[in-house]
Amino acid sequence: MNLTAQLLLYLQKTEHSFGHVLVGRKLAGRKLSDLKLLERTSHSSPLLLGAVLSASLLTAPAFATTELALQLATSLTSDSNPLRFYDGDAAAVQNGNTSTSDKVKALDVRAGAIIPILSDRTRLILTGSLGTRQYQTYQDLDHQEKAGDASFEYAIGNILTGRVTAGKEDRLFQYINGSLTAKDISHFSQTGAELTLKITDELSVPVKLDRSNLHYDLDVNQLYNFHQNGQQAGLKYYSPTGSNLELGVRFSDTDYPNRNPQQIADLDQRYRETETYIEAEWKYSVKTVVSTHLGLIRRRYDSLSDLNTNLVSTLVRGTYFYSPKLRLDAQIFDRPFAIVDPSILYVVTKGLRLDAQWNMSDKTQFHLMGLAQNSDQKLVPRLAEIQDSVSRKEKLTRAGFGINYQLQRGVRLMLDSFYEKVERDANLSGLKQGVIIIGLEYSYENLPGSTAKMGLSRYQHSLNNTDALR
């Protein structure tokens, strides 16, 4: 039985049991080409939806129940500038197109399973997502999005806890400034292991190991394919009030295996980072929580010592539960990150973000966000001499709005949006982008709260909703 037939049969059974007739008809009425595209995706990604849907066949211990979740979603996106062209960029006219805007149709299937093995604290969590994106104007950008994660969580008494994880994700390249307009897909994979040894009720030792890989399809981006190995260890203190403090160090080695001799001469082929960090979470009251991360990063390159640098990574966040229905978040950050541009070594961003989430009723939820950010793009020294500049500064302002409305049990209507403006100081140029998504989502779970436990929302890539607290 192929994937299309399996999905329709499963939904028909769910529809008969729970009365979700509307959604059953919506899926049954989808174009055959859309469903066949999902079927082809499943054949090329055995780690993803097939692994998740087959999880229900595994036998759990008699004392526990395997938790299952299924989500089907369809949406329409209006994007004023998907390739993020700067104002007046002549490259915006492509293949006879005179507008930078586009509309995107999406169809997604997300599923997951939580399978207890020895106890509720020792379990296997499998999740996955398959999706299609179809562009109305820039049809060359049509693509499939895939993601899958597996996590084995374990506990040995009250002394030892940990987990082993593996995941993959394929996504469309995140366009920056209109300099690249061809379709490129990024392929990211990560494996990791975490272990926490409890010394006393107040002290524990968390240890982490991870390995990640990223590669792109287009030759022009191959110089940013990387492998990274990381190791982290810390000492964590828990106070009787629920607050905690962690001190630790993280080491990572990053290697770029596909750079040619000229690229190695400009950017080097590998570097090593050492980050000494402090993380804290202070529960001031039942309504107020403050968390922070402060890291001092020492980066050393393999050959080009003039690229060596010391960086600071800072994030301070406060969450205030004004009432059971209203939650407010504020974040202040000063953090470095990489960017896919051969002339830019790294980017440092400083900014302030504000979020509000209002549960107006049991069926209606609003969220608002505002962001003001300054970034400083540190240029590669040799190229900076040619351009007579050592950095490139930009200012970003963003505002977002979203609403979720539950039509009936398991069916919700969603709206997600943002508008942003970027201004570049050097040449007084800038870009503008506005995105609005309207979607319909059907969710099934055999136990209440299973979807949230599995974290299926991470596959939706919300435009403006704030992340949950750690």
Side-chain angles (χ1 to χ4, degrees):
M1 185 180 296
N2 61 31
L3 175 64
T4 303
Q6 291 179 25
L7 287 173
L8 290 175
L9 179 59
Y10 183 87
L11 188 60
Q12 288 168 3
K13 291 180 180 179
T14 306
E15 171 186 311
H16 178 73
S17 301
F18 294 92
H20 296 300
V21 178
L22 173 64
V23 181
R25 290 175 180 169
K26 287 286 184 181
L27 181 62
R30 291 297 301 180
K31 293 192 300 183
L32 182 60
S33 59
D34 288 343
L35 295 173
K36 286 184 175 179
L37 186 54
L38 283 174
E39 180 182 339
R40 291 197 299 271
T41 305
S42 70
H43 292 325
S44 62
S45 307
L47 176 64
L48 304 173
L49 191 62
V52 173
L53 293 178
S54 64
S56 60
L57 300 178
L58 299 178
T59 302
F63 56 81
T65 301
T66 296
E67 300 182 44
L68 302 174
L70 172 69
Q71 287 185 336
L72 307 176
T74 182
S75 65
L76 177 65
T77 300
S78 177
D79 192 333
S80 69
N81 192 3
L83 293 174
R84 296 180 64 79
F85 291 110
Y86 273 78
D87 297 338
D89 195 331
V93 181
Q94 288 190 329
N95 301 326
N97 299 327
T98 58
S99 173
T100 62
S101 63
D102 209 342
K103 290 181 172 58
V104 188
K105 293 188 296 183
L107 175 65
D108 292 280
V109 180
R110 298 182 286 269
I114 301 177
I115 308 164
I117 297 178
L118 298 176
S119 69
D120 289 336
R121 300 174 63 207
T122 302
R123 59 188 185 173
L124 179 65
I125 303 176
L126 301 173
T127 58
S129 176
L130 299 173
T132 65
R133 301 293 183 269
Q134 295 179 326
Y135 287 72
Q136 178 177 307
T137 302
Y138 294 102
Q139 296 180 3
D140 291 344
L141 297 182
D142 290 357
H143 66 281
Q144 304 168 359
E145 292 195 349
K146 317 170 192 176
D149 295 279
S151 176
F152 174 65
E153 300 179 351
Y154 60 91
I156 302 176
N158 294 321
I159 298 177
L160 194 65
T161 59
R163 65 174 182 164
V164 179
T165 61
K168 296 183 67 175
E169 182 176 27
D170 293 352
R171 292 187 64 189
L172 184 68
F173 173 78
Q174 299 298 293
Y175 294 95
I176 328 167
N177 53 21
S179 59
L180 178 66
T181 58
K183 181 179 74 174
D184 196 8
I185 302 295
S186 64
H187 307 271
F188 180 76
S189 63
Q190 187 172 36
T191 56
E194 302 177 17
L195 182 149
T196 299
L197 176 64
K198 185 177 181 181
I199 301 174
T200 68
D201 289 340
E202 292 80 22
L203 289 177
S204 66
V205 177
V207 178
K208 299 179 183 179
L209 301 173
D210 62 78
R211 176 176 175 82
S212 57
N213 298 277
L214 175 70
H215 72 273
Y216 297 94
D217 287 343
L218 285 184
D219 291 341
V220 69
N221 283 333
Q222 293 292 309
L223 75 159
Y224 289 102
N225 294 350
F226 73 76
H227 305 312
Q228 186 177 86
N229 292 306
Q231 308 89 38
Q232 179 177 322
L235 180 65
K236 194 166 188 176
Y237 167 76
Y238 300 87
S239 77
T241 61
S243 301
N244 61 74
L245 173 68
E246 181 179 339
L247 307 176
V249 61
R250 173 177 169 79
F251 305 97
S252 63
D253 291 285
T254 304
D255 178 66
Y256 298 89
N258 299 113
R259 290 182 174 176
N260 60 39
Q262 183 59 54
Q263 292 165 348
I264 294 175
D266 289 338
L267 301 169
D268 215 328
Q269 192 167 20
R270 63 183 58 87
Y271 63 80
R272 179 176 177 83
E273 281 189 349
T274 303
E275 180 181 11
T276 304
Y277 67 87
I278 299 175
E279 286 190 351
E281 186 171 279
W282 179 34
K283 294 189 176 180
Y284 175 76
S285 69
V286 293
K287 288 188 173 184
T288 306
V289 181
V290 178
S291 61
T292 183
H293 173 94
L294 173 62
L296 302 178
I297 303 172
R298 181 177 182 270
R299 178 183 292 189
R300 294 296 179 263
Y301 284 81
D302 190 43
S303 301
L304 302 178
S305 59
D306 58 325
L307 299 184
N308 293 346
T309 186
N310 296 317
L311 301 168
V312 176
S313 177
T314 305
L315 172 64
V316 180
R317 174 174 172 179
T319 298
Y320 177 55
F321 297 92
Y322 178 82
S323 71
K325 291 187 175 182
L326 179 60
R327 166 182 161 172
L328 304 174
D329 286 83
Q331 299 180 50
I332 301 174
F333 55 88
D334 181 355
R335 313 189 80 172
F337 62 91
I339 190 169
V340 184
D341 187 324
S343 66
I344 299 174
L345 192 59
Y346 59 88
V347 178
V348 175
T349 62
K350 301 179 181 180
L352 169 66
R353 172 171 173 159
L354 302 174
D355 291 86
Q357 182 173 297
W358 178 34
N359 298 317
M360 179 180 176
S361 68
D362 292 339
K363 290 189 174 184
T364 307
Q365 181 186 88
F366 292 91
H367 48 270
L368 301 167
M369 67 85 67
L371 172 66
Q373 172 182 295
N374 292 332
S375 66
D376 191 357
Q377 302 174 356
K378 299 297 182 181
L379 305 181
V380 177
R382 187 186 69 82
L383 300 178
E385 294 175 1
I386 297 174
Q387 300 178 18
D388 193 27
S389 177
V390 295
S391 67
R392 184 184 299 138
K393 300 181 185 298
E394 290 188 344
K395 297 179 181 179
L396 179 149
T397 305
R398 172 184 288 193
F401 168 77
I403 180 173
N404 294 327
Y405 178 71
Q406 185 173 328
L407 296 173
Q408 63 182 57
R409 181 182 176 185
V411 182
R412 66 171 181 161
L413 185 65
M414 303 173 295
L415 183 146
D416 199 8
S417 65
F418 79 85
Y419 174 79
E420 76 174 26
K421 181 179 180 180
V422 177
E423 298 173 295
R424 178 175 290 178
D425 291 348
N427 51 12
L428 301 180
S429 63
L431 65 85
K432 301 179 182 69
Q433 183 178 22
V435 180
I436 183 169
I437 302 175
I438 298 177
L440 183 67
E441 179 185 83
Y442 163 74
S443 296
Y444 162 78
E445 52 188 15
N446 65 337
L447 293 178
S450 296
T451 302
K453 285 184 189 178
M454 298 172 195
L456 292 185
S457 60
R458 69 185 181 278
Y459 297 128
Q460 298 173 15
H461 302 296
S462 173
L463 299 179
N464 66 77
N465 203 7
T466 186
D467 297 328
L469 285 173
R470 295 194 307 272

